[in-house]
Amino acid sequence: MERALSSCRACPGKDSILSVFYVPASFCPYLNMISGSLYETSNLERGGNNRKKKIEEFSRSSREKLVQSKNKMFSKFTSILQHAVEALAPSLPLQEDFVYHWKGITHYYIETSDDKAPVTDTNIPSHLEQMLDILTQEEAERESGETGPCMEYLLHHKILETLYTLGKADCPPGMKQQVLTFYTKLLAHIRQPLLPHINVHRPVQKLIRLCGEVLAAPTENEEIQFLCIVCAKLKQDPYLVNFFLENKSKRPEIKSPAAAEGVMESVLAPDTGQSQADHPGQPQAAAAASTSSPTNNNNTNNYNLVTSLLNLTKSPDGRIVVKACEGLMLLVSLPEPAAARCLTENTDLCELLTDRLVSFYKALPPSMDPLDIETVESVNWGLDVYNLKEDAAVFTGKRALISFLSWLDYCDQLIKEAQKSAAAVMAKAVRERFFVSVMEPQLMQTSEVGILTSTALLNRIVRQVTSEALLQEVVYFLLGEDKEAETAAAIVQNPLRHRLIEHCDHLSDEISIMTLRLFEQLIQKPNQHILHSLVLRSLEERNFLENKPQEEREPLENGQPHDAVDLEEDPLFGDDLSPDSRLSGSDWFGSSPQHSPDHAKSDGKTEVHKIVNSFLCLVPDEAKSSYHVEGTGYDTYLRDAHRQFREFCGICQRWDWRGNPKPLEKCNLDMAFYEGHFLKVLFDRMGRILDQPYDVNLQVTAVLSKLSLLPHPHLHEYLLDPYINLAPGCRSLFSVIVRVVGDLMLRIHRIPDFTPKLLLVRKRLLGLEPEGVTIDHSTLLEGVIVLEEFCKELAAIAFVKYHAAASSSP
């Protein structure tokens, strides 16, 4: 029995149809059965007129199918037989087994005469699978990092080089697919580092070049799996990426039809035992460096791994595109500077990102409902599932919008993960090739419909961007890069910034609201330049304050100038606060500081109870309606103010913001104060709150409240301290509201039944009363309600900020 088994791999048996396995026909009764069955099948095909008549009835296509079926059946028989023989044979050392399977592949090329048969009709896939299993088993049986004889054989005999050549020639048909699968599984299953070895990374480089050459190729799935496992290996050991930056001046690979034949001749040559490559027992990195040291001359490097992935992102198969994008995500995050430079300078990555973004944007309808743009579900690249009919039923252009937002999300995440220098280059490319070239003309147009749609899209883009580098470029695109103090004459130097701020006060209320929402989004973004450009650079010198020396001012009375109005003594405001407005209701926040006879403390800060009461008393009692409706008091704003202020502090904590106002002696108080274009427009709109639509007023006050929440002492002083001494001709938020209230007091007496109408309007806005007869002066009444609520919100913000400062101070 042992002799018979040992002859299985020795006897040529060329007269047998099973000679490919070198098994004698007498070895097993099963062999005789299979041989007899095949012999009978052959006779049936040749003999009998009846059989011939039946065969002639088949069409040409049917006969071809029959032949294919026969071949597949034969392949299955032989594969089953091989596994049966290997199961019965005594176990050989792993290396002998490994060599046997490799020789089984090489003998196919020696003995076969039919190179048209697909590889699946041969035993090559089975031999490759067995070789992988042996290598995996060998590694599992050895100590970590130790190279076994089978792996040494694979490296020593350049098996991967040979397989690459066979895969490139695709001989037999489908071989490329088998080679890609073998490479992928080898890199995935073997834990020891293989890529540093020249006999691994060199054929891997060559195989990479074959990927993505043909779109929609039958091997696309195997190609992307192979490329992604290479990317994953480089992510584990980023230095290895230098082996994949190939010198352009290197002699190109010879693509001769005889290449496969030449390699096979060298592989099938007698084994003399002499090494054909650096011995794998050497340190692998040293062996690689001695033969293929990576170059750092990025100006002459090809990054074929990136090029192949970029080609596969153009595949018609969405799954292939997603996998290719994942591979690029891994590569851009590698920290190697040479790879980062090569990525952005020597590949088409930036062009792919921006061209596709432009293409998706241009596919959007020219007019879209801003509400649809704002409320479409959030997208994550690669995960958007859609139904064309359902999307079209929701609103026209939804599919195009999701495609655009999905690719924007990919660009954003790619830049977010990228090495810092690569991220900056990619973000700048998006700014120049998309925002400046495509979006800016849309935002600068005169068509109201076009302005509204493009501003709504810009708002959605700003909301979605999270990467620091891309956000910085978006901000520079919108607001410019100027850092010096703003002047009225210079506001037109940046046309886009000027136009956007002007749109906050547009004749179209829809455009005004959408642009204000854009700035509200910007204010909440973690970017210091946004706030510096819009407001802080105008307040840096505190030249909104009175700059007269102390001795030239009027004597102080009760902590204020002689000619100043004490709001608590002014009958316009009174001191009778409604029960819902009292500070005592906010015990969970703690109580306000103890009263003192002076408005200002020794450090110059106005006491918080004075500030809170000033805002709460601004709107006269006859114009208040909140205490007639349950749950609309001042206390309702405290919790929201606390949460939002904490969020802003989290955003601003990394910024170099001063903790206290700049000392007056260091400020240039003689310089003319200009509040800045942005604050000017906001104050102008705030001054018209009694004559503007309700939705506009809500958005104006929302932006001002966000600015008030920012933890910067100059902004806090300018927007939230009613007791500062303003310089002549200057205005603050409090002074603007005071003028509005003065106008309101004059107009209240001209409206009969003012208070009942005001209460009815509030209930309608809250949904407590159905819409009915139109109420006269509804715009003014809605403005009064917004004004009252805004004053309560500012009071809550002032209290929360004071409480936070008091808690953090020693």
Side-chain angles (χ1 to χ4, degrees):
M1 180 65 179
E2 291 180 2
R3 183 177 301 173
L5 291 172
S6 63
S7 68
C8 291
R9 294 173 183 146
C11 176
K14 292 185 179 179
D15 295 333
S16 170
I17 59 173
L18 303 176
S19 61
V20 68
F21 301 109
Y22 312 115
V23 179
S26 61
F27 170 69
C28 177
Y30 293 108
L31 300 184
N32 292 327
M33 292 172 60
I34 294 170
S35 300
S37 176
L38 294 174
Y39 178 76
E40 291 172 7
T41 302
S42 176
N43 285 338
L44 282 173
E45 290 176 355
R46 291 195 302 267
N49 293 329
N50 293 335
R51 184 62 174 163
K52 285 183 179 180
K53 290 179 181 179
K54 290 181 180 179
I55 292 176
E56 288 172 358
E57 292 174 1
F58 285 106
S59 65
R60 181 181 300 274
S61 61
S62 298
R63 288 201 301 274
E64 290 175 355
K65 290 180 181 177
L66 185 62
V67 172
Q68 291 175 2
S69 176
K70 184 189 70 173
N71 291 339
K72 289 182 179 178
M73 180 180 70
F74 178 77
S75 177
K76 288 180 181 178
F77 276 144
T78 54
S79 180
I80 292 170
L81 182 60
Q82 179 181 348
H83 285 295
V85 171
E86 289 169 356
L88 292 172
S91 58
L92 297 173
L94 288 179
Q95 184 180 3
E96 291 185 32
D97 213 7
F98 185 81
V99 172
Y100 159 70
H101 287 292
W102 176 238
K103 293 299 181 184
I105 294 173
T106 57
H107 284 166
Y108 166 83
Y109 291 93
I110 296 174
E111 298 180 356
T112 187
S113 59
D114 182 13
D115 58 355
K116 303 296 184 184
V119 71
T120 50
D121 289 350
T122 73
N123 291 308
I124 292 176
S126 177
H127 284 307
L128 289 173
E129 185 178 348
Q130 292 295 322
M131 290 168 67
L132 280 169
D133 289 344
I134 292 169
L135 290 170
T136 304
Q137 180 184 346
E138 179 185 68
E139 185 179 55
E141 292 175 356
R142 308 183 80 85
E143 294 183 6
S144 177
E146 184 180 352
T147 303
C150 296
M151 181 59 73
E152 288 193 4
Y153 186 91
L154 178 137
L155 299 172
H156 177 84
H157 289 271
K158 299 184 179 180
I159 287 178
L160 294 181
E161 286 276 5
T162 304
L163 288 175
Y164 156 73
T165 305
L166 299 176
K168 178 185 173 188
D170 201 29
C171 178
M175 190 61 185
K176 180 180 177 183
Q177 210 165 9
Q178 297 297 323
V179 171
L180 286 164
T181 300
F182 182 84
Y183 272 62
T184 301
K185 291 182 177 179
L186 179 71
L187 293 174
H189 295 167
I190 301 301
R191 296 188 303 274
Q192 60 179 293
L194 293 178
L195 286 176
H197 200 288
I198 187 173
N199 286 340
V200 177
H201 72 249
R202 185 167 61 185
V204 166
Q205 286 174 359
K206 294 177 181 178
L207 193 58
I208 286 170
R209 293 185 214 129
L210 296 184
C211 298
E213 284 186 328
V214 180
L215 284 182
T219 57
E220 265 192 348
N221 188 56
E222 287 75 19
E223 288 175 12
I224 195 61
Q225 296 293 340
F226 165 65
L227 294 176
C228 283
I229 194 63
V230 174
C231 293
K233 288 295 179 182
L234 297 183
K235 182 70 174 175
Q236 292 175 5
D237 191 354
Y239 173 74
L240 295 177
V241 73
N242 290 286
F243 292 118
F244 294 87
L245 307 180
E246 302 175 61
N247 197 303
K248 286 183 180 180
S249 61
K250 188 169 61 176
R251 186 174 63 181
E253 181 187 352
I254 299 174
K255 297 186 178 181
S256 159
E261 182 181 348
V263 171
M264 286 310 305
E265 287 177 359
S266 65
V267 169
L268 299 177
D271 185 2
T272 61
Q274 298 299 318
S275 175
Q276 299 177 14
D278 295 300
H279 194 277
Q282 298 177 8
Q284 293 184 345
S290 66
T291 54
S292 179
S293 59
T295 175
N296 289 322
N297 184 4
N298 66 291
N299 292 324
T300 58
N301 283 345
N302 276 329
Y303 204 163
N304 290 313
L305 185 53
V306 173
T307 302
S308 295
L309 287 170
L310 290 175
N311 289 338
L312 287 171
T313 62
K314 302 168 187 173
S315 168
D317 188 338
R319 295 168 301 175
I320 300 294
V321 174
V322 170
K323 294 292 291 182
C325 288
E326 289 174 351
L328 290 171
M329 189 82 74
L330 288 174
L331 292 182
V332 299
S333 65
L334 299 180
E336 288 295 312
R341 287 194 300 271
C342 191
L343 184 84
T344 53
E345 295 176 11
N346 298 344
T347 74
D348 295 331
L349 178 61
C350 292
E351 288 78 3
L352 172 86
L353 294 178
T354 54
D355 290 350
R356 195 165 292 184
L357 199 61
V358 169
S359 174
F360 282 132
Y361 184 85
K362 289 184 174 179
L364 296 172
S367 172
M368 299 180 73
D369 188 337
L371 189 61
D372 290 336
I373 297 172
E374 194 168 348
T375 58
V376 70
E377 59 269 21
S378 58
V379 295
N380 293 306
W381 72 272
L383 298 179
D384 54 314
V385 179
Y386 60 91
N387 182 296
L388 287 175
K389 291 183 179 179
E390 290 180 4
D391 288 349
V394 176
F395 65 87
T396 303
K398 181 180 179 184
R399 167 55 11 211
L401 177 60
I402 290 178
S403 296
F404 169 73
L405 294 176
S406 179
W407 189 252
L408 173 69
D409 183 56
Y410 176 69
C411 295
D412 182 45
Q413 294 302 318
L414 192 73
I415 294 171
K416 190 174 186 177
E417 295 295 325
Q419 192 258 11
K420 194 169 182 180
S421 62
V425 174
M426 288 188 287
K428 198 161 190 175
V430 173
R431 173 187 172 184
E432 292 172 352
R433 297 166 64 97
F434 171 66
F435 285 107
V436 174
S437 299
V438 179
M439 283 219 74
E440 185 168 354
Q442 296 289 310
L443 295 166
M444 297 290 286
Q445 64 182 302
T446 56
S447 164
E448 290 191 1
V449 173
I451 293 171
L452 185 60
T453 300
S454 58
T455 306
L457 285 167
L458 180 60
N459 187 21
R460 183 62 194 256
I461 290 170
V462 169
R463 191 174 85 191
Q464 191 167 307
V465 169
T466 58
S467 67
E468 185 177 343
L470 184 56
L471 178 60
Q472 185 69 69
E473 293 298 333
V474 172
V475 170
Y476 285 159
F477 161 69
L478 295 174
L479 305 179
E481 302 182 36
D482 295 336
K483 291 181 169 55
E484 63 275 6
E486 193 174 359
T487 62
I491 60 174
V492 294
Q493 291 180 357
N494 189 319
L496 180 59
R497 180 184 188 274
H498 179 265
R499 182 71 63 89
L500 287 173
I501 294 176
E502 286 294 315
H503 284 174
C504 292
D505 197 2
H506 199 274
L507 289 174
S508 165
D509 292 333
E510 282 188 294
I511 291 177
S512 294
I513 292 170
M514 187 51 61
T515 312
L516 286 165
R517 284 180 182 167
L518 169 66
F519 281 103
E520 185 182 6
Q521 285 289 341
L522 279 171
I523 290 168
Q524 298 174 82
K525 284 291 179 177
N527 185 284
Q528 188 173 357
H529 184 70
I530 296 171
L531 298 164
H532 181 79
S533 174
L534 289 176
V535 288
L536 292 178
R537 57 178 172 156
S538 299
L539 308 178
E540 180 63 26
E541 297 300 324
R542 300 176 69 193
N543 48 342
F544 50 84
L545 297 174
E546 173 64 68
N547 62 350
K548 287 183 181 179
Q550 184 67 42
E551 58 272 12
E552 296 182 18
R553 298 180 187 173
E554 296 291 334
L556 295 180
E557 291 186 5
N558 197 22
Q560 289 191 288
H562 178 73
D563 56 352
V565 177
D566 190 335
L567 296 173
E568 291 190 347
E569 301 298 327
D570 193 323
L572 178 67
F573 302 111
D575 57 1
D576 184 18
L577 300 182
S578 64
D580 286 338
S581 301
R582 295 187 184 279
L583 285 171
S584 57
S586 57
D587 2 359
W588 69 279
F589 253 111
S591 57
S592 354
Q594 295 296 317
H595 290 219
S596 66
D598 296 328
H599 288 300
K601 299 193 301 182
S602 57
D603 60 0
K605 293 181 180 178
T606 308
E607 290 193 2
V608 69
H609 75 277
K610 297 288 187 184
I611 295 176
V612 169
N613 289 345
S614 296
F615 281 113
L616 292 178
C617 296
L618 262 176
V619 179
D621 284 348
E622 56 265 44
K624 290 180 179 177
S625 56
S626 61
Y627 54 85
H628 293 293
V629 180
E630 185 178 353
T632 58
Y634 155 76
D635 295 348
T636 59
Y637 286 97
L638 285 171
R639 192 176 298 276
D640 282 343
H642 179 71
R643 175 184 56 79
Q644 293 181 60
F645 179 66
R646 186 169 50 195
E647 290 173 358
F648 270 115
C649 287
I651 292 172
C652 306
Q653 64 181 354
R654 296 185 295 111
W655 300 346
D656 54 345
W657 278 3
R658 57 176 71 251
N660 294 303
K662 184 178 181 180
L664 284 176
E665 58 271 17
K666 295 183 179 180
C667 294
N668 184 5
L669 298 177
D670 294 326
M671 185 174 67
F673 175 67
Y674 176 59
E675 58 208 1
H677 192 194
F678 185 58
L679 283 177
K680 176 185 181 302
V681 170
L682 289 178
F683 285 176
D684 289 346
R685 296 228 70 149
M686 189 66 205
R688 302 197 302 270
I689 193 171
L690 301 178
D691 303 298
Q692 293 173 156
Y694 178 72
D695 290 337
V696 172
N697 287 336
L698 286 181
Q699 199 56 54
V700 171
T701 54
V703 174
L704 285 168
S705 68
K706 292 292 189 300
L707 290 174
S708 302
L709 279 160
L710 290 165
H712 192 285
H714 294 175
L715 205 53
H716 178 87
E717 177 182 50
Y718 186 60
L719 297 181
L720 290 177
D721 190 348
Y723 294 97
I724 56 173
N725 296 312
L726 289 170
C730 297
R731 58 180 178 172
S732 67
L733 178 58
F734 189 81
S735 71
V736 171
I737 299 176
V738 166
R739 289 184 178 89
V740 171
V741 171
D743 183 31
L744 172 63
M745 293 301 295
L746 296 174
R747 297 164 72 171
I748 281 178
H749 303 294
R750 303 173 190 168
I751 302 174
D753 301 323
F754 177 84
T755 303
K757 289 179 179 178
L758 183 66
L759 185 58
L760 179 58
V761 169
R762 176 179 281 274
K763 289 182 177 180
R764 283 186 179 179
L765 291 174
L766 293 173
L768 302 177
E769 288 284 343
E771 294 293 331
V773 181
T774 303
I775 301 175
D776 294 336
H777 308 286
S778 59
T779 299
L780 182 142
L781 295 171
E782 289 171 348
V784 172
I785 292 169
V786 173
L787 181 64
E788 180 187 356
E789 296 303 311
F790 184 50
C791 288
K792 289 191 295 184
E793 187 175 14
L794 292 176
I797 292 171
F799 180 77
V800 165
K801 292 178 80 172
Y802 175 86
H803 183 271
S807 301
S808 60
S809 60

